[in-house]
PDB file of all heavy atoms in Angstrom:
ATOM      1  N   LYS A  61     -64.341 -53.940  32.530  1.00  0.00           N
ATOM      2  CA  LYS A  61     -64.432 -52.618  33.148  1.00  0.00           C
ATOM      3  C   LYS A  61     -64.335 -51.548  32.075  1.00  0.00           C
ATOM      4  O   LYS A  61     -63.841 -51.802  30.981  1.00  0.00           O
ATOM      5  CB  LYS A  61     -63.308 -52.422  34.180  1.00  0.00           C
ATOM      6  CG  LYS A  61     -63.357 -53.378  35.368  1.00  0.00           C
ATOM      7  CD  LYS A  61     -62.207 -53.079  36.324  1.00  0.00           C
ATOM      8  CE  LYS A  61     -62.230 -54.015  37.515  1.00  0.00           C
ATOM      9  NZ  LYS A  61     -61.099 -53.736  38.462  1.00  0.00           N
ATOM     10  N   LEU A  62     -64.816 -50.358  32.412  1.00  0.00           N
ATOM     11  CA  LEU A  62     -64.608 -49.224  31.534  1.00  0.00           C
ATOM     12  C   LEU A  62     -63.134 -48.857  31.527  1.00  0.00           C
ATOM     13  O   LEU A  62     -62.434 -49.050  32.528  1.00  0.00           O
ATOM     14  CB  LEU A  62     -65.446 -48.025  32.005  1.00  0.00           C
ATOM     15  CG  LEU A  62     -66.970 -48.220  32.025  1.00  0.00           C
ATOM     16  CD1 LEU A  62     -67.639 -46.993  32.633  1.00  0.00           C
ATOM     17  CD2 LEU A  62     -67.492 -48.470  30.633  1.00  0.00           C
ATOM     18  N   ILE A  63     -62.668 -48.330  30.422  1.00  0.00           N
ATOM     19  CA  ILE A  63     -61.257 -47.979  30.329  1.00  0.00           C
ATOM     20  C   ILE A  63     -61.094 -46.466  30.277  1.00  0.00           C
ATOM     21  O   ILE A  63     -62.045 -45.737  29.982  1.00  0.00           O
ATOM     22  CB  ILE A  63     -60.614 -48.616  29.067  1.00  0.00           C
ATOM     23  CG1 ILE A  63     -61.292 -48.078  27.805  1.00  0.00           C
ATOM     24  CG2 ILE A  63     -60.704 -50.135  29.125  1.00  0.00           C
ATOM     25  CD1 ILE A  63     -60.624 -48.535  26.521  1.00  0.00           C
ATOM     26  N   ALA A  64     -59.904 -46.000  30.603  1.00  0.00           N
ATOM     27  CA  ALA A  64     -59.554 -44.581  30.561  1.00  0.00           C
ATOM     28  C   ALA A  64     -58.417 -44.410  29.559  1.00  0.00           C
ATOM     29  O   ALA A  64     -57.282 -44.797  29.835  1.00  0.00           O
ATOM     30  CB  ALA A  64     -59.150 -44.082  31.942  1.00  0.00           C
ATOM     31  N   ILE A  65     -58.741 -43.850  28.400  1.00  0.00           N
ATOM     32  CA  ILE A  65     -57.722 -43.677  27.355  1.00  0.00           C
ATOM     33  C   ILE A  65     -56.848 -42.476  27.641  1.00  0.00           C
ATOM     34  O   ILE A  65     -55.621 -42.522  27.482  1.00  0.00           O
ATOM     35  CB  ILE A  65     -58.409 -43.532  25.974  1.00  0.00           C
ATOM     36  CG1 ILE A  65     -59.172 -44.810  25.637  1.00  0.00           C
ATOM     37  CG2 ILE A  65     -57.379 -43.215  24.891  1.00  0.00           C
ATOM     38  CD1 ILE A  65     -59.933 -44.746  24.336  1.00  0.00           C
ATOM     39  N   GLY A  66     -57.454 -41.367  28.050  1.00  0.00           N
ATOM     40  CA  GLY A  66     -56.685 -40.160  28.330  1.00  0.00           C
ATOM     41  C   GLY A  66     -55.806 -40.314  29.552  1.00  0.00           C
ATOM     42  O   GLY A  66     -56.135 -41.026  30.508  1.00  0.00           O
ATOM     43  N   VAL A  67     -54.683 -39.603  29.534  1.00  0.00           N
ATOM     44  CA  VAL A  67     -53.724 -39.679  30.645  1.00  0.00           C
ATOM     45  C   VAL A  67     -54.352 -39.154  31.940  1.00  0.00           C
ATOM     46  O   VAL A  67     -54.165 -39.729  33.021  1.00  0.00           O
ATOM     47  CB  VAL A  67     -52.445 -38.876  30.304  1.00  0.00           C
ATOM     48  CG1 VAL A  67     -51.495 -38.865  31.501  1.00  0.00           C
ATOM     49  CG2 VAL A  67     -51.765 -39.447  29.075  1.00  0.00           C
ATOM     50  N   PHE A  68     -55.107 -38.066  31.834  1.00  0.00           N
ATOM     51  CA  PHE A  68     -55.675 -37.428  33.028  1.00  0.00           C
ATOM     52  C   PHE A  68     -57.146 -37.812  33.255  1.00  0.00           C
ATOM     53  O   PHE A  68     -57.767 -37.266  34.169  1.00  0.00           O
ATOM     54  CB  PHE A  68     -55.541 -35.911  32.926  1.00  0.00           C
ATOM     55  CG  PHE A  68     -54.119 -35.431  32.792  1.00  0.00           C
ATOM     56  CD1 PHE A  68     -53.646 -34.975  31.593  1.00  0.00           C
ATOM     57  CD2 PHE A  68     -53.274 -35.469  33.886  1.00  0.00           C
ATOM     58  CE1 PHE A  68     -52.337 -34.543  31.467  1.00  0.00           C
ATOM     59  CE2 PHE A  68     -51.952 -35.037  33.786  1.00  0.00           C
ATOM     60  CZ  PHE A  68     -51.487 -34.568  32.562  1.00  0.00           C
ATOM     61  N   SER A  69     -57.693 -38.675  32.421  1.00  0.00           N
ATOM     62  CA  SER A  69     -59.105 -39.057  32.568  1.00  0.00           C
ATOM     63  C   SER A  69     -59.443 -39.634  33.931  1.00  0.00           C
ATOM     64  O   SER A  69     -60.497 -39.303  34.506  1.00  0.00           O
ATOM     65  CB  SER A  69     -59.495 -40.049  31.466  1.00  0.00           C
ATOM     66  OG  SER A  69     -59.434 -39.454  30.203  1.00  0.00           O
ATOM     67  N   PRO A  70     -58.598 -40.503  34.516  1.00  0.00           N
ATOM     68  CA  PRO A  70     -58.956 -41.051  35.829  1.00  0.00           C
ATOM     69  C   PRO A  70     -59.089 -39.992  36.918  1.00  0.00           C
ATOM     70  O   PRO A  70     -59.729 -40.235  37.950  1.00  0.00           O
ATOM     71  CB  PRO A  70     -57.785 -42.003  36.140  1.00  0.00           C
ATOM     72  CG  PRO A  70     -57.220 -42.356  34.816  1.00  0.00           C
ATOM     73  CD  PRO A  70     -57.371 -41.122  33.988  1.00  0.00           C
ATOM     74  N   PHE A  71     -58.517 -38.801  36.675  1.00  0.00           N
ATOM     75  CA  PHE A  71     -58.601 -37.733  37.670  1.00  0.00           C
ATOM     76  C   PHE A  71     -59.721 -36.749  37.344  1.00  0.00           C
ATOM     77  O   PHE A  71     -60.531 -36.404  38.208  1.00  0.00           O
ATOM     78  CB  PHE A  71     -57.271 -36.977  37.742  1.00  0.00           C
ATOM     79  CG  PHE A  71     -57.296 -35.793  38.668  1.00  0.00           C
ATOM     80  CD1 PHE A  71     -57.260 -35.959  40.044  1.00  0.00           C
ATOM     81  CD2 PHE A  71     -57.363 -34.492  38.175  1.00  0.00           C
ATOM     82  CE1 PHE A  71     -57.294 -34.869  40.915  1.00  0.00           C
ATOM     83  CE2 PHE A  71     -57.401 -33.389  39.022  1.00  0.00           C
ATOM     84  CZ  PHE A  71     -57.360 -33.581  40.391  1.00  0.00           C
ATOM     85  N   PHE A  72     -59.779 -36.296  36.083  1.00  0.00           N
ATOM     86  CA  PHE A  72     -60.719 -35.242  35.729  1.00  0.00           C
ATOM     87  C   PHE A  72     -62.146 -35.732  35.531  1.00  0.00           C
ATOM     88  O   PHE A  72     -63.097 -35.012  35.846  1.00  0.00           O
ATOM     89  CB  PHE A  72     -60.234 -34.522  34.452  1.00  0.00           C
ATOM     90  CG  PHE A  72     -59.098 -33.592  34.686  1.00  0.00           C
ATOM     91  CD1 PHE A  72     -57.855 -33.847  34.125  1.00  0.00           C
ATOM     92  CD2 PHE A  72     -59.243 -32.460  35.473  1.00  0.00           C
ATOM     93  CE1 PHE A  72     -56.791 -33.003  34.348  1.00  0.00           C
ATOM     94  CE2 PHE A  72     -58.191 -31.591  35.702  1.00  0.00           C
ATOM     95  CZ  PHE A  72     -56.951 -31.866  35.139  1.00  0.00           C
ATOM     96  N   VAL A  73     -62.332 -36.937  35.013  1.00  0.00           N
ATOM     97  CA  VAL A  73     -63.697 -37.428  34.772  1.00  0.00           C
ATOM     98  C   VAL A  73     -64.480 -37.571  36.076  1.00  0.00           C
ATOM     99  O   VAL A  73     -65.625 -37.116  36.154  1.00  0.00           O
ATOM    100  CB  VAL A  73     -63.671 -38.745  33.981  1.00  0.00           C
ATOM    101  CG1 VAL A  73     -65.066 -39.354  33.895  1.00  0.00           C
ATOM    102  CG2 VAL A  73     -63.121 -38.509  32.569  1.00  0.00           C
ATOM    103  N   PRO A  74     -63.925 -38.182  37.136  1.00  0.00           N
ATOM    104  CA  PRO A  74     -64.678 -38.224  38.383  1.00  0.00           C
ATOM    105  C   PRO A  74     -64.995 -36.842  38.945  1.00  0.00           C
ATOM    106  O   PRO A  74     -66.084 -36.639  39.514  1.00  0.00           O
ATOM    107  CB  PRO A  74     -63.749 -39.009  39.330  1.00  0.00           C
ATOM    108  CG  PRO A  74     -62.917 -39.842  38.419  1.00  0.00           C
ATOM    109  CD  PRO A  74     -62.694 -39.008  37.205  1.00  0.00           C
ATOM    110  N   LEU A  75     -64.062 -35.885  38.790  1.00  0.00           N
ATOM    111  CA  LEU A  75     -64.342 -34.527  39.259  1.00  0.00           C
ATOM    112  C   LEU A  75     -65.468 -33.888  38.450  1.00  0.00           C
ATOM    113  O   LEU A  75     -66.304 -33.151  38.994  1.00  0.00           O
ATOM    114  CB  LEU A  75     -63.074 -33.670  39.155  1.00  0.00           C
ATOM    115  CG  LEU A  75     -61.956 -33.973  40.152  1.00  0.00           C
ATOM    116  CD1 LEU A  75     -60.797 -33.005  39.967  1.00  0.00           C
ATOM    117  CD2 LEU A  75     -62.476 -33.898  41.586  1.00  0.00           C
ATOM    118  N   LYS A  76     -65.490 -34.159  37.151  1.00  0.00           N
ATOM    119  CA  LYS A  76     -66.570 -33.635  36.302  1.00  0.00           C
ATOM    120  C   LYS A  76     -67.908 -34.193  36.734  1.00  0.00           C
ATOM    121  O   LYS A  76     -68.911 -33.457  36.835  1.00  0.00           O
ATOM    122  CB  LYS A  76     -66.292 -33.994  34.847  1.00  0.00           C
ATOM    123  CG  LYS A  76     -67.320 -33.471  33.864  1.00  0.00           C
ATOM    124  CD  LYS A  76     -66.926 -33.844  32.444  1.00  0.00           C
ATOM    125  CE  LYS A  76     -67.943 -33.306  31.437  1.00  0.00           C
ATOM    126  NZ  LYS A  76     -67.561 -33.648  30.051  1.00  0.00           N
ATOM    127  N   VAL A  77     -67.936 -35.491  37.004  1.00  0.00           N
ATOM    128  CA  VAL A  77     -69.200 -36.110  37.472  1.00  0.00           C
ATOM    129  C   VAL A  77     -69.596 -35.544  38.826  1.00  0.00           C
ATOM    130  O   VAL A  77     -70.787 -35.293  39.078  1.00  0.00           O
ATOM    131  CB  VAL A  77     -69.022 -37.635  37.539  1.00  0.00           C
ATOM    132  CG1 VAL A  77     -70.239 -38.302  38.188  1.00  0.00           C
ATOM    133  CG2 VAL A  77     -68.791 -38.215  36.145  1.00  0.00           C
ATOM    134  N   LEU A  78     -68.617 -35.332  39.702  1.00  0.00           N
ATOM    135  CA  LEU A  78     -68.898 -34.756  41.020  1.00  0.00           C
ATOM    136  C   LEU A  78     -69.506 -33.355  40.874  1.00  0.00           C
ATOM    137  O   LEU A  78     -70.486 -33.016  41.559  1.00  0.00           O
ATOM    138  CB  LEU A  78     -67.619 -34.688  41.841  1.00  0.00           C
ATOM    139  CG  LEU A  78     -67.743 -34.057  43.239  1.00  0.00           C
ATOM    140  CD1 LEU A  78     -68.610 -34.914  44.144  1.00  0.00           C
ATOM    141  CD2 LEU A  78     -66.362 -33.860  43.858  1.00  0.00           C
ATOM    142  N   GLY A  79     -68.952 -32.551  39.981  1.00  0.00           N
ATOM    143  CA  GLY A  79     -69.467 -31.197  39.780  1.00  0.00           C
ATOM    144  C   GLY A  79     -70.881 -31.206  39.238  1.00  0.00           C
ATOM    145  O   GLY A  79     -71.749 -30.446  39.708  1.00  0.00           O
ATOM    146  N   MET A  80     -71.154 -32.049  38.233  1.00  0.00           N
ATOM    147  CA  MET A  80     -72.492 -32.114  37.681  1.00  0.00           C
ATOM    148  C   MET A  80     -73.504 -32.624  38.696  1.00  0.00           C
ATOM    149  O   MET A  80     -74.639 -32.118  38.778  1.00  0.00           O
ATOM    150  CB  MET A  80     -72.487 -33.022  36.439  1.00  0.00           C
ATOM    151  CG  MET A  80     -71.730 -32.464  35.257  1.00  0.00           C
ATOM    152  SD  MET A  80     -72.463 -30.928  34.615  1.00  0.00           S
ATOM    153  CE  MET A  80     -74.057 -31.505  34.064  1.00  0.00           C
ATOM    154  N   THR A  81     -73.104 -33.592  39.499  1.00  0.00           N
ATOM    155  CA  THR A  81     -74.015 -34.118  40.512  1.00  0.00           C
ATOM    156  C   THR A  81     -74.288 -33.078  41.600  1.00  0.00           C
ATOM    157  O   THR A  81     -75.398 -32.988  42.129  1.00  0.00           O
ATOM    158  CB  THR A  81     -73.421 -35.381  41.152  1.00  0.00           C
ATOM    159  OG1 THR A  81     -73.015 -36.299  40.135  1.00  0.00           O
ATOM    160  CG2 THR A  81     -74.435 -36.074  42.046  1.00  0.00           C
ATOM    161  N   ALA A  82     -73.264 -32.263  41.918  1.00  0.00           N
ATOM    162  CA  ALA A  82     -73.463 -31.197  42.901  1.00  0.00           C
ATOM    163  C   ALA A  82     -74.473 -30.174  42.387  1.00  0.00           C
ATOM    164  O   ALA A  82     -75.304 -29.681  43.161  1.00  0.00           O
ATOM    165  CB  ALA A  82     -72.116 -30.526  43.198  1.00  0.00           C
ATOM    166  N   VAL A  83     -74.415 -29.867  41.094  1.00  0.00           N
ATOM    167  CA  VAL A  83     -75.405 -28.951  40.517  1.00  0.00           C
ATOM    168  C   VAL A  83     -76.805 -29.516  40.636  1.00  0.00           C
ATOM    169  O   VAL A  83     -77.750 -28.817  40.996  1.00  0.00           O
ATOM    170  CB  VAL A  83     -75.043 -28.646  39.053  1.00  0.00           C
ATOM    171  CG1 VAL A  83     -76.170 -27.839  38.386  1.00  0.00           C
ATOM    172  CG2 VAL A  83     -73.735 -27.883  38.955  1.00  0.00           C
ATOM    173  N   LEU A  84     -76.957 -30.789  40.337  1.00  0.00           N
ATOM    174  CA  LEU A  84     -78.280 -31.430  40.429  1.00  0.00           C
ATOM    175  C   LEU A  84     -78.775 -31.456  41.875  1.00  0.00           C
ATOM    176  O   LEU A  84     -79.958 -31.203  42.143  1.00  0.00           O
ATOM    177  CB  LEU A  84     -78.210 -32.851  39.871  1.00  0.00           C
ATOM    178  CG  LEU A  84     -77.949 -32.979  38.376  1.00  0.00           C
ATOM    179  CD1 LEU A  84     -77.792 -34.436  37.990  1.00  0.00           C
ATOM    180  CD2 LEU A  84     -79.062 -32.319  37.586  1.00  0.00           C
ATOM    181  N   LEU A  85     -77.872 -31.777  42.802  1.00  0.00           N
ATOM    182  CA  LEU A  85     -78.268 -31.836  44.198  1.00  0.00           C
ATOM    183  C   LEU A  85     -78.691 -30.466  44.716  1.00  0.00           C
ATOM    184  O   LEU A  85     -79.651 -30.350  45.502  1.00  0.00           O
ATOM    185  CB  LEU A  85     -77.100 -32.383  45.044  1.00  0.00           C
ATOM    186  CG  LEU A  85     -77.364 -32.543  46.536  1.00  0.00           C
ATOM    187  CD1 LEU A  85     -78.474 -33.567  46.788  1.00  0.00           C
ATOM    188  CD2 LEU A  85     -76.085 -32.975  47.258  1.00  0.00           C
ATOM    189  N   ALA A  86     -78.002 -29.423  44.268  1.00  0.00           N
ATOM    190  CA  ALA A  86     -78.290 -28.069  44.742  1.00  0.00           C
ATOM    191  C   ALA A  86     -79.317 -27.348  43.876  1.00  0.00           C
ATOM    192  O   ALA A  86     -79.569 -26.162  44.104  1.00  0.00           O
ATOM    193  CB  ALA A  86     -76.994 -27.250  44.776  1.00  0.00           C
ATOM    194  N   LEU A  87     -79.918 -28.028  42.913  1.00  0.00           N
ATOM    195  CA  LEU A  87     -80.832 -27.369  41.975  1.00  0.00           C
ATOM    196  C   LEU A  87     -81.979 -26.635  42.671  1.00  0.00           C
ATOM    197  O   LEU A  87     -82.257 -25.468  42.324  1.00  0.00           O
ATOM    198  CB  LEU A  87     -81.383 -28.398  40.983  1.00  0.00           C
ATOM    199  CG  LEU A  87     -82.304 -27.843  39.885  1.00  0.00           C
ATOM    200  CD1 LEU A  87     -81.560 -26.817  39.042  1.00  0.00           C
ATOM    201  CD2 LEU A  87     -82.823 -28.971  39.008  1.00  0.00           C
ATOM    202  N   PRO A  88     -82.687 -27.234  43.637  1.00  0.00           N
ATOM    203  CA  PRO A  88     -83.748 -26.463  44.308  1.00  0.00           C
ATOM    204  C   PRO A  88     -83.226 -25.192  44.983  1.00  0.00           C
ATOM    205  O   PRO A  88     -83.886 -24.149  44.961  1.00  0.00           O
ATOM    206  CB  PRO A  88     -84.313 -27.463  45.334  1.00  0.00           C
ATOM    207  CG  PRO A  88     -83.964 -28.802  44.782  1.00  0.00           C
ATOM    208  CD  PRO A  88     -82.645 -28.626  44.102  1.00  0.00           C
ATOM    209  N   TRP A  89     -82.049 -25.288  45.590  1.00  0.00           N
ATOM    210  CA  TRP A  89     -81.445 -24.117  46.236  1.00  0.00           C
ATOM    211  C   TRP A  89     -81.099 -23.040  45.218  1.00  0.00           C
ATOM    212  O   TRP A  89     -81.345 -21.845  45.443  1.00  0.00           O
ATOM    213  CB  TRP A  89     -80.207 -24.538  47.006  1.00  0.00           C
ATOM    214  CG  TRP A  89     -79.399 -23.414  47.588  1.00  0.00           C
ATOM    215  CD1 TRP A  89     -78.205 -22.952  47.133  1.00  0.00           C
ATOM    216  CD2 TRP A  89     -79.726 -22.621  48.733  1.00  0.00           C
ATOM    217  NE1 TRP A  89     -77.753 -21.914  47.921  1.00  0.00           N
ATOM    218  CE2 TRP A  89     -78.671 -21.693  48.907  1.00  0.00           C
ATOM    219  CE3 TRP A  89     -80.791 -22.598  49.636  1.00  0.00           C
ATOM    220  CZ2 TRP A  89     -78.665 -20.762  49.933  1.00  0.00           C
ATOM    221  CZ3 TRP A  89     -80.787 -21.664  50.667  1.00  0.00           C
ATOM    222  CH2 TRP A  89     -79.739 -20.764  50.801  1.00  0.00           C
ATOM    223  N   LEU A  90     -80.555 -23.435  44.065  1.00  0.00           N
ATOM    224  CA  LEU A  90     -80.215 -22.477  43.016  1.00  0.00           C
ATOM    225  C   LEU A  90     -81.470 -21.796  42.480  1.00  0.00           C
ATOM    226  O   LEU A  90     -81.489 -20.579  42.264  1.00  0.00           O
ATOM    227  CB  LEU A  90     -79.472 -23.186  41.876  1.00  0.00           C
ATOM    228  CG  LEU A  90     -78.174 -23.905  42.241  1.00  0.00           C
ATOM    229  CD1 LEU A  90     -77.570 -24.587  41.013  1.00  0.00           C
ATOM    230  CD2 LEU A  90     -77.171 -22.937  42.848  1.00  0.00           C
TER     231      LEU A  90
END
């Protein structure tokens, strides 16, 4: 499995991916 070295990586990395994916999903609207 992929590992998470940073203490807060398991929390912030998924949120970062969620935010970037939301931008892509809303791109036509933007």
Side-chain angles (χ1 to χ4, degrees):
K61 297 181 180 180
L62 299 175
I63 62 174
I65 297 177
V67 176
F68 300 106
S69 294
F71 176 75
F72 285 114
V73 172
L75 288 183
K76 181 178 181 179
V77 173
L78 178 66
M80 291 297 296
T81 310
V83 172
L84 293 175
L85 182 63
L87 183 60
W89 173 254
L90 301 179

